[in-house]
Amino acid sequence: MRCKGLILMLSGVLASLAIGWFAFPAALYRTEAQPMQFNHAVHTGEQNGMTCDMCHEFTENGSFKGIPTIAKCTECHSAAIGSTESEKVLVEQFVTPHKEIPWKVYSRQPDNAYFPHAAHVKRAEIKCEECHGPHGSSSTLPVYQVNRISGYSRDIWGRNISGLPSHPWEGMKMDRCVRCHAERHRDDSCLDCHK
Amino acid sequence: MEQTAQSKSRYGMVIDLDRCTGCGVCMVACAVENNVAPAEQKATERTGVTWLRVYPVSNGEGFPANDTVFIPMTCQQCGNHTPCVSVCPQNAVEVDPSTGIVGQIPQRCLGCRYCMTACPYHARYFDWWDPQWPEGTEVLLNPDVAPRMRGVAEKCNFCHGRLHAARTKAAAAGRKEIAAGDYVPACVESCPSRAIVFGDLADETNEVSRLSHSINTFQFLPKLGTAPKIFYHSAKEWVRKMADRAPLA
């Protein structure tokens, strides 16, 4: 009856794998909806040709302003330009009542991590895509998920539960920051990236 | 672009005790800058958190020879066998080789408080309570400094958030080096009698470097060989004589 034991063992292994690969991530992450759809491609594509820094600006003292405020959208969308549903939401729910859009930030790091865009983008001239992938030319928003325990966005760990990225831009844990710095011969100290 | 050379600085301070009036503005500025929450009701002298604390010390004489001096005490940023670094079992404390600043990484800290015992200057504090701000005042927190949770040690790091800001400003302008005037800790900036001079000790053209070598300048507990980067200055001999013991109540 050795065969029966083997089958039992294999089904146990399979069940554990299924739990590890599918049930665990489903239990660990909660999906949250973005406040509205946003289409980067419409803005940055050929037809409108906006550059990233038209919306993602730096302040005078070099800090990165991140996602633009509603004032930026109002410059063009004070009334609807097209007839899409998402633009209707934008105008009716945010532009007209002057409300900020509560975007959920995929790349948001924990409070105690410090990341300066200026050093990377302006001085070292690293492309946005190297860290953010094709977000700036995408036409729909990816699913936003948070870790139920830490409250961090899933994109910090990376989409793949194994921690091995399926694309080079995926995941932004401390080891990725440090690895790139090491490749570029940057010595780090803890307080460079922590605050 | 490939080789990203980093500068080597050694930040330090010279505090002129003859100018310090003990007003305590530096303590307030420090707490506000670094998101130190208002003290818990139950907090005492020993359990409250003050990255910078001004101690009054008297010469013990009767009138008319009596005299009091106020000593702002903070992390002395030891440059030599830094006691807190050498005892930390967690590698949660580190001397940054490019700035000389002794950094504390709270998220790595396990709260054993060995560093506090080891610190000869009593400049380290422990979070006995989770920080709590009166409702509505959270919006006033400094976004450049992360608040610490209960159960970790903390201390002065020369307002490191301000160094980040200065570096970012330099990077945006394509500069490698920060402008000296862009990096000034909160206590230095707030002192109404300009008793504290701050800067890069390694830069010999700097005022702080010159003052650190000047006559009547001293360090606390020099016999321990910790090479503090905080220097004190006083023309009064009895004050300088105190250097061999920690000026703690």
Side-chain angles (χ1 to χ4, degrees):
Chain A
M1 280 281 110
R2 278 181 76 179
C3 195
K4 198 170 160 197
L6 195 66
I7 290 171
L8 258 173
M9 192 194 84
L10 279 179
S11 52
V13 168
L14 279 177
S16 311
L17 282 176
I19 291 172
W21 287 100
F22 303 106
F24 175 64
L28 186 59
Y29 295 105
R30 179 179 63 234
T31 303
E32 287 182 0
Q34 287 279 13
M36 57 171 276
Q37 251 316 324
F38 183 72
N39 185 335
H40 265 88
V42 171
H43 299 90
T44 56
E46 270 174 26
Q47 152 203 12
N48 288 308
M50 293 176 73
T51 54
C52 312
D53 57 4
M54 289 173 77
C55 285
H56 300 296
E57 301 167 72
F58 286 86
T59 63
E60 262 165 47
N61 56 20
S63 60
F64 187 59
K65 287 204 210 161
I67 296 174
T69 58
I70 195 71
K72 176 53 89 184
C73 320
T74 311
E75 284 174 19
C76 298
H77 292 284
S78 55
I81 311 171
S83 54
T84 54
E85 182 57 32
S86 52
E87 203 192 1
K88 198 165 152 227
V89 174
L90 170 70
V91 174
E92 286 177 3
Q93 295 185 17
F94 301 105
V95 172
T96 312
H98 279 290
K99 257 178 62 195
E100 287 304 331
I101 311 173
W103 297 111
K104 302 205 157 70
V105 181
Y106 301 96
S107 53
R108 172 67 67 246
Q109 290 284 346
D111 276 352
N112 52 31
Y114 168 74
F115 176 83
H117 272 85
H120 295 89
V121 176
K122 296 209 156 179
R123 200 167 57 199
E125 297 177 342
I126 301 172
K127 295 265 165 299
C128 315
E129 287 71 25
E130 198 165 323
C131 299
H132 292 289
H135 192 104
S137 52
S138 62
S139 51
T140 51
L141 289 178
V143 180
Y144 176 86
Q145 292 185 310
V146 277
N147 185 310
R148 285 182 212 262
I149 300 169
S150 67
Y152 302 155
S153 156
R154 182 166 187 172
D155 295 71
I156 300 299
W157 175 258
R159 292 274 151 176
N160 196 333
I161 196 72
S162 71
L164 300 169
S166 1
H167 302 285
W169 67 81
E170 266 190 28
M172 196 52 91
K173 296 279 294 170
M174 177 160 97
D175 61 348
R176 169 142 180 234
C177 316
V178 175
R179 207 178 325 120
C180 180
H181 288 182
E183 280 163 11
R184 303 192 191 216
H185 314 287
R186 226 199 98 80
D187 295 328
D188 282 317
S189 93
C190 311
L191 278 190
D192 283 350
C193 310
H194 287 286
K195 59 184 185 184
Chain B
M1 186 207 120
E2 274 304 296
Q3 180 75 37
T4 47
Q6 287 152 280
S7 59
K8 291 263 182 283
S9 309
R10 220 160 53 81
Y11 288 106
M13 281 181 180
V14 180
I15 303 178
D16 191 338
L17 299 179
D18 298 343
R19 283 187 175 219
C20 177
T21 62
C23 71
V25 164
C26 53
M27 289 174 65
V28 177
C30 170
V32 170
E33 169 74 18
N34 293 299
N35 293 338
V36 175
E40 241 292 323
Q41 288 250 293
K42 286 173 280 188
T44 64
E45 281 274 292
R46 292 184 55 205
T47 57
V49 177
T50 47
W51 289 14
L52 175 63
R53 188 178 285 191
V54 180
Y55 291 94
V57 181
S58 153
N59 63 351
E61 307 277 337
F63 181 81
N66 62 340
D67 195 4
T68 300
V69 68
F70 296 97
I71 301 179
M73 245 305 141
T74 177
C75 169
Q76 302 287 297
Q77 310 287 349
C78 301
N80 194 25
H81 51 73
T82 317
C84 52
V85 173
S86 55
V87 300
C88 180
Q90 279 290 90
N91 269 335
V93 200
E94 179 205 61
V95 185
D96 182 343
S98 65
T99 59
I101 296 176
V102 180
Q104 168 82 23
I105 310 298
Q107 63 268 45
R108 186 79 154 246
C109 173
L110 61 76
C112 73
R113 311 197 285 289
Y114 200 171
C115 57
M116 295 171 64
T117 320
C119 177
Y121 305 99
H122 293 207
R124 297 183 139 270
Y125 296 88
F126 185 69
D127 286 299
W128 290 94
W129 298 278
D130 268 324
Q132 235 143 38
W133 283 271
E135 212 174 304
T137 57
E138 300 93 341
V139 292
L140 300 174
L141 291 184
N142 179 359
D144 298 336
V145 180
R148 285 74 48 191
M149 65 187 290
R150 180 184 57 184
V152 299
E154 57 180 70
K155 67 164 196 76
C156 159
N157 56 21
F158 275 165
C159 289
H160 209 276
R162 294 187 173 208
L163 179 56
H164 283 157
R167 283 178 173 166
T168 292
K169 191 168 167 189
R175 281 184 282 121
K176 277 267 170 223
E177 307 288 336
I178 65 165
D182 284 344
Y183 177 32
V184 182
C187 55
V188 181
E189 190 180 74
S190 66
C191 178
S193 45
R194 300 262 171 271
I196 316 178
V197 176
F198 174 82
D200 183 0
L201 293 166
D203 175 359
E204 272 156 33
T205 61
N206 213 318
E207 194 190 355
V208 74
S209 166
R210 186 179 59 76
L211 287 174
S212 72
H213 296 299
S214 76
I215 189 158
N216 293 342
T217 296
F218 62 97
Q219 292 155 305
F220 274 106
L221 302 177
K223 63 183 176 203
L224 297 181
T226 50
K229 289 192 280 295
I230 310 272
F231 295 82
Y232 292 84
H233 182 277
S234 178
K236 299 174 188 165
E237 201 191 347
W238 74 268
V239 176
R240 295 197 303 275
K241 275 206 172 137
M242 216 164 44
D244 287 329
R245 56 186 174 93
L248 304 178

